Structures are given as C-alpha cells and as structure tokens.
Amino acid sequence: MKYGKILLSMVLAACVCGMAACGTTTEENYKIEDGNLVYDTDTSTEMGDTTETADETKASDKRHQIGETVEFNVDGGGEVAVTITDWGTSQSAFGTPYVFVNVIMENIGDTAITASHSLFDIYADDVRLPHIIIESGLLSTGEISPGRKAVGAVYGEGDGMTASVIEVECGGSVFVLKDGNENADGGSRNVVSAEEDTSGSVSLPSDIKVDSEKIDYAALSGNYGGMQGMSSIDLSMYSLPEDSSVGNADVYVQGGEYSYTGEISEVATNVYKVANTEGKEVLLAVSTEIAEYDPGENQDSGNLWIQLYVDGELIEEYMMLEHYES
C-alpha cells in the first residue's frame, strides 16, 4: 500500500440506471470533445413518465471500490473493463504533492480501443486535481487490441494526505479510494511503527548487494522505480532519527502481492528492515553497483539501487528516479 506512498481518446457510454415506482430508465452517453470527457445530450433517451426524486437518485448511485471492475461500452461497438488496483500519495523532486492511481484497462470487446490517462479525474474533497505528468508508469495514450490490457498510473496534483475523501471519476462512474480516515478497502494508510513490527529476527540473504561504505541517510530519500512496471518505493529518512527508526518506506511491487508501509531500522550497513504486521522479513538493500536487471548503459553512473527481499527471497530491484531534499 502507498501512503505518501496504483483507460481513452474515445467515446465512453456509461449506463446509469435509476428505477422509480413506474420504471424510469435513463442512459447517459459520454464523448470526447476537445480532449475532455463531456455528456452527449444528443444521445440521451428517457422512457416512462415518472421522474426520480433527488433522494431516490442519490440512493441509486453506486461508488465502486478498489479492486472492483467496471465495464463500459465504447463508441463503435467496443467494450472495456476498468479496474483501479491501488493508489497513494507522494511528492515530486520539487516538493509538489500528488495523488497517483494505478489502473488497468482491458479490451473485452472485438474492436480496438484507445487508452488515455486524461479520461480519469481525481477528486480530493470534491475538488478536481489538475492532471500532471510523471514519467514513471504513466498510463499513456495508445491503442489496445481485443483481449489486450493497458496498465499504468494517473496523477493529480494535490495533497491527498490531508483530504478526507478521495475519488476517481471515469465515464460517469465513481471509484472511492478514501472516505474519512479510512481507505476504501478498509485499511489504514498509517505507517506501521517499529513497535508494531512482527517480523522477528533478521537473517541477511547470501546474495544481498550493498555498498561496503555507509551511504548517508539524506542521500537515500527519494522515489525509486522498479523493473516490473508499476513497482515503486518512496523512502523518507528522518533528519533526526529517534531510537532504532531512521525513516519510513512505502514499498509496492506490481500486482500488489508485496505492499508495505512502515518505519525502517538499519540492521546492517546499508540494509534496512521495513516494519510490518504480516510477520514478513522485509529488507531493503542499498547499493550504487549495477543491479541484476540493469541493461548496462548506466554502468558506473552512481545511481542508487534498492533490492527488495521478502523472507530471504529477492523480489524486485529499484533505481532512484527522484531525490527528496530534506
């Protein structure tokens, strides 16, 4: 999970159906106009003579949850299934806060469709967050053939940490990410403290890669991108570490199987343990050496790398993309 550390130049037709006593059904259609998703008044049809009251309309609204898949009809006979898999908050190298949402678009129809991050709007306490472009993992505009998927992130500029409610709109449907102080999936974004850690003792893997000389804490703070698509780490180091904790880490591996947000403690030179309540031994090994997946062109570049180990197994490798100034 992320705390502070997730598809269409096309037409989406979103069916929003409300039933009154005599049976009123309304189909709302959306289209792209000048790069924006707008309501198409020419294709709206209404059947029946009765009208829903405001309370009935509100009661029939459905806010979708993280992990739920919503299907849309697409102009030209196409069909797309949209799933929000995760979300989080972070900040750019210049300190600009943003909310990111990880999405999957799957073409479940028989014709090609087009994916684009611009068709998703992120709202924090009912205020639309402006789209920003973060190169790492952006859901870029492109065609998806039948049976294929597009996976990427949507970014909105704003402070998601202080917002009470965070939602995403797509094609007339609303996905709720955060409502009140809790996430939509019922979990908490709070960092797991070192006192809450249940991982037990540490055993360093034999193949772990770290620099022999200690890397300063201040140099480690930043955003790291993994080798597997949407994998990422946000690492924030304390300027004045207290007790055994020296900072906190927000760790995510594409697919969501490995997701941790906890305080970190230094267990060996350039090796940090991430506190968690799953009983897992989660280690971050920091190195300036070339990692296993490096293609070679950045040799001796001095980039910082982090290897993620869970219970002694190498899960993912990350390279620093942005450095956070303290």
mmCIF file of all heavy atoms in Angstrom, residues 130-152:
data_model
loop_
_atom_site.group_PDB
_atom_site.id
_atom_site.type_symbol
_atom_site.label_atom_id
_atom_site.label_comp_id
_atom_site.label_asym_id
_atom_site.label_seq_id
_atom_site.Cartn_x
_atom_site.Cartn_y
_atom_site.Cartn_z
ATOM 1 N N PRO A 130 -5.702 18.893 -10.757
ATOM 2 C CA PRO A 130 -5.180 19.023 -12.126
ATOM 3 C C PRO A 130 -4.310 17.834 -12.502
ATOM 4 O O PRO A 130 -3.560 17.311 -11.670
ATOM 5 C CB PRO A 130 -4.332 20.312 -12.057
ATOM 6 C CG PRO A 130 -4.820 21.043 -10.849
ATOM 7 C CD PRO A 130 -5.252 19.992 -9.881
ATOM 8 N N HIS A 131 -4.411 17.397 -13.759
ATOM 9 C CA HIS A 131 -3.558 16.319 -14.236
ATOM 10 C C HIS A 131 -2.108 16.804 -14.279
ATOM 11 O O HIS A 131 -1.829 17.930 -14.681
ATOM 12 C CB HIS A 131 -3.958 15.878 -15.647
ATOM 13 C CG HIS A 131 -5.191 15.047 -15.687
ATOM 14 N ND1 HIS A 131 -6.405 15.532 -16.136
ATOM 15 C CD2 HIS A 131 -5.423 13.764 -15.333
ATOM 16 C CE1 HIS A 131 -7.320 14.588 -16.059
ATOM 17 N NE2 HIS A 131 -6.752 13.502 -15.565
ATOM 18 N N ILE A 132 -1.201 15.945 -13.859
ATOM 19 C CA ILE A 132 0.217 16.213 -14.035
ATOM 20 C C ILE A 132 0.850 14.982 -14.659
ATOM 21 O O ILE A 132 0.317 13.878 -14.574
ATOM 22 C CB ILE A 132 0.928 16.575 -12.702
ATOM 23 C CG1 ILE A 132 0.777 15.443 -11.677
ATOM 24 C CG2 ILE A 132 0.398 17.877 -12.144
ATOM 25 C CD1 ILE A 132 1.569 15.692 -10.406
ATOM 26 N N ILE A 133 1.987 15.190 -15.288
ATOM 27 C CA ILE A 133 2.665 14.103 -15.982
ATOM 28 C C ILE A 133 3.880 13.670 -15.169
ATOM 29 O O ILE A 133 4.795 14.460 -14.913
ATOM 30 C CB ILE A 133 3.123 14.543 -17.390
ATOM 31 C CG1 ILE A 133 1.920 15.046 -18.198
ATOM 32 C CG2 ILE A 133 3.811 13.385 -18.097
ATOM 33 C CD1 ILE A 133 0.842 14.020 -18.414
ATOM 34 N N ILE A 134 3.860 12.448 -14.692
ATOM 35 C CA ILE A 134 5.010 11.834 -14.042
ATOM 36 C C ILE A 134 5.433 10.687 -14.948
ATOM 37 O O ILE A 134 4.658 9.771 -15.206
ATOM 38 C CB ILE A 134 4.652 11.295 -12.642
ATOM 39 C CG1 ILE A 134 4.086 12.418 -11.760
ATOM 40 C CG2 ILE A 134 5.879 10.661 -12.004
ATOM 41 C CD1 ILE A 134 5.065 13.505 -11.427
ATOM 42 N N GLU A 135 6.639 10.742 -15.443
ATOM 43 C CA GLU A 135 7.058 9.781 -16.461
ATOM 44 C C GLU A 135 6.984 8.336 -15.988
ATOM 45 O O GLU A 135 6.681 7.434 -16.746
ATOM 46 C CB GLU A 135 8.476 10.109 -16.928
ATOM 47 C CG GLU A 135 8.572 11.421 -17.711
ATOM 48 C CD GLU A 135 9.966 11.655 -18.236
ATOM 49 O OE1 GLU A 135 10.825 10.784 -18.002
ATOM 50 O OE2 GLU A 135 10.197 12.688 -18.869
ATOM 51 N N SER A 136 7.261 8.116 -14.713
ATOM 52 C CA SER A 136 7.304 6.744 -14.218
ATOM 53 C C SER A 136 5.918 6.119 -14.184
ATOM 54 O O SER A 136 5.067 6.499 -13.392
ATOM 55 C CB SER A 136 7.909 6.722 -12.808
ATOM 56 O OG SER A 136 7.878 5.431 -12.268
ATOM 57 N N GLY A 137 5.666 5.166 -15.083
ATOM 58 C CA GLY A 137 4.441 4.388 -15.038
ATOM 59 C C GLY A 137 3.186 5.060 -15.537
ATOM 60 O O GLY A 137 2.090 4.562 -15.311
ATOM 61 N N LEU A 138 3.294 6.199 -16.220
ATOM 62 C CA LEU A 138 2.108 6.909 -16.686
ATOM 63 C C LEU A 138 1.285 6.046 -17.638
ATOM 64 O O LEU A 138 1.830 5.348 -18.497
ATOM 65 C CB LEU A 138 2.524 8.193 -17.403
ATOM 66 C CG LEU A 138 1.379 9.029 -18.006
ATOM 67 C CD1 LEU A 138 0.561 9.683 -16.908
ATOM 68 C CD2 LEU A 138 1.937 10.081 -18.958
ATOM 69 N N LEU A 139 -0.035 6.085 -17.463
ATOM 70 C CA LEU A 139 -0.924 5.431 -18.421
ATOM 71 C C LEU A 139 -0.961 6.286 -19.675
ATOM 72 O O LEU A 139 -1.683 7.272 -19.759
ATOM 73 C CB LEU A 139 -2.328 5.278 -17.845
ATOM 74 C CG LEU A 139 -3.346 4.600 -18.766
ATOM 75 C CD1 LEU A 139 -3.006 3.132 -18.960
ATOM 76 C CD2 LEU A 139 -4.753 4.750 -18.212
ATOM 77 N N SER A 140 -0.163 5.933 -20.651
ATOM 78 C CA SER A 140 -0.026 6.746 -21.853
ATOM 79 C C SER A 140 -1.149 6.447 -22.844
ATOM 80 O O SER A 140 -1.817 5.417 -22.768
ATOM 81 C CB SER A 140 1.334 6.484 -22.519
ATOM 82 O OG SER A 140 1.479 5.113 -22.830
ATOM 83 N N THR A 141 -1.329 7.371 -23.768
ATOM 84 C CA THR A 141 -2.357 7.205 -24.789
ATOM 85 C C THR A 141 -1.882 6.208 -25.845
ATOM 86 O O THR A 141 -0.774 6.315 -26.357
ATOM 87 C CB THR A 141 -2.671 8.548 -25.462
ATOM 88 O OG1 THR A 141 -3.149 9.461 -24.475
ATOM 89 C CG2 THR A 141 -3.727 8.381 -26.546
ATOM 90 N N GLY A 142 -2.726 5.229 -26.145
ATOM 91 C CA GLY A 142 -2.355 4.232 -27.136
ATOM 92 C C GLY A 142 -3.488 3.267 -27.391
ATOM 93 O O GLY A 142 -4.438 3.169 -26.613
ATOM 94 N N GLU A 143 -3.381 2.548 -28.485
ATOM 95 C CA GLU A 143 -4.436 1.624 -28.894
ATOM 96 C C GLU A 143 -4.277 0.280 -28.195
ATOM 97 O O GLU A 143 -3.167 -0.209 -27.984
ATOM 98 C CB GLU A 143 -4.390 1.429 -30.407
ATOM 99 C CG GLU A 143 -5.542 0.606 -30.961
ATOM 100 C CD GLU A 143 -5.518 0.530 -32.474
ATOM 101 O OE1 GLU A 143 -6.092 1.422 -33.130
ATOM 102 O OE2 GLU A 143 -4.917 -0.426 -32.994
ATOM 103 N N ILE A 144 -5.419 -0.301 -27.807
ATOM 104 C CA ILE A 144 -5.438 -1.633 -27.208
ATOM 105 C C ILE A 144 -6.242 -2.545 -28.130
ATOM 106 O O ILE A 144 -7.415 -2.282 -28.410
ATOM 107 C CB ILE A 144 -6.105 -1.641 -25.824
ATOM 108 C CG1 ILE A 144 -5.571 -0.511 -24.932
ATOM 109 C CG2 ILE A 144 -5.898 -2.985 -25.139
ATOM 110 C CD1 ILE A 144 -6.308 -0.398 -23.612
ATOM 111 N N SER A 145 -5.647 -3.608 -28.582
ATOM 112 C CA SER A 145 -6.358 -4.553 -29.433
ATOM 113 C C SER A 145 -7.205 -5.490 -28.578
ATOM 114 O O SER A 145 -6.997 -5.604 -27.364
ATOM 115 C CB SER A 145 -5.361 -5.345 -30.282
ATOM 116 O OG SER A 145 -4.424 -6.008 -29.466
ATOM 117 N N PRO A 146 -8.185 -6.170 -29.172
ATOM 118 C CA PRO A 146 -9.058 -7.077 -28.413
ATOM 119 C C PRO A 146 -8.276 -8.103 -27.599
ATOM 120 O O PRO A 146 -7.311 -8.700 -28.096
ATOM 121 C CB PRO A 146 -9.901 -7.743 -29.504
ATOM 122 C CG PRO A 146 -9.966 -6.720 -30.598
ATOM 123 C CD PRO A 146 -8.604 -6.080 -30.597
ATOM 124 N N GLY A 147 -8.687 -8.280 -26.350
ATOM 125 C CA GLY A 147 -8.038 -9.238 -25.477
ATOM 126 C C GLY A 147 -6.790 -8.727 -24.787
ATOM 127 O O GLY A 147 -6.211 -9.426 -23.955
ATOM 128 N N ARG A 148 -6.396 -7.477 -25.097
ATOM 129 C CA ARG A 148 -5.174 -6.915 -24.512
ATOM 130 C C ARG A 148 -5.517 -5.949 -23.375
ATOM 131 O O ARG A 148 -6.658 -5.525 -23.220
ATOM 132 C CB ARG A 148 -4.365 -6.177 -25.569
ATOM 133 C CG ARG A 148 -4.007 -7.012 -26.783
ATOM 134 C CD ARG A 148 -2.911 -7.999 -26.490
ATOM 135 N NE ARG A 148 -2.443 -8.680 -27.705
ATOM 136 C CZ ARG A 148 -1.410 -9.498 -27.739
ATOM 137 N NH1 ARG A 148 -0.737 -9.759 -26.634
ATOM 138 N NH2 ARG A 148 -1.059 -10.078 -28.863
ATOM 139 N N LYS A 149 -4.470 -5.582 -22.609
ATOM 140 C CA LYS A 149 -4.645 -4.678 -21.474
ATOM 141 C C LYS A 149 -3.662 -3.517 -21.551
ATOM 142 O O LYS A 149 -2.587 -3.631 -22.145
ATOM 143 C CB LYS A 149 -4.428 -5.416 -20.152
ATOM 144 C CG LYS A 149 -5.386 -6.554 -19.868
ATOM 145 C CD LYS A 149 -5.038 -7.220 -18.543
ATOM 146 C CE LYS A 149 -5.978 -8.389 -18.259
ATOM 147 N NZ LYS A 149 -5.618 -9.065 -16.975
ATOM 148 N N ALA A 150 -4.038 -2.416 -20.915
ATOM 149 C CA ALA A 150 -3.131 -1.293 -20.686
ATOM 150 C C ALA A 150 -3.059 -1.091 -19.178
ATOM 151 O O ALA A 150 -4.084 -1.054 -18.496
ATOM 152 C CB ALA A 150 -3.624 -0.025 -21.376
ATOM 153 N N VAL A 151 -1.836 -0.987 -18.654
ATOM 154 C CA VAL A 151 -1.632 -0.821 -17.215
ATOM 155 C C VAL A 151 -0.791 0.422 -16.992
ATOM 156 O O VAL A 151 0.216 0.634 -17.669
ATOM 157 C CB VAL A 151 -0.914 -2.043 -16.606
ATOM 158 C CG1 VAL A 151 -0.691 -1.848 -15.110
ATOM 159 C CG2 VAL A 151 -1.712 -3.316 -16.863
ATOM 160 N N GLY A 152 -1.205 1.272 -16.074
ATOM 161 C CA GLY A 152 -0.450 2.488 -15.816
ATOM 162 C C GLY A 152 -1.063 3.295 -14.700
ATOM 163 O O GLY A 152 -1.988 2.849 -14.013
#
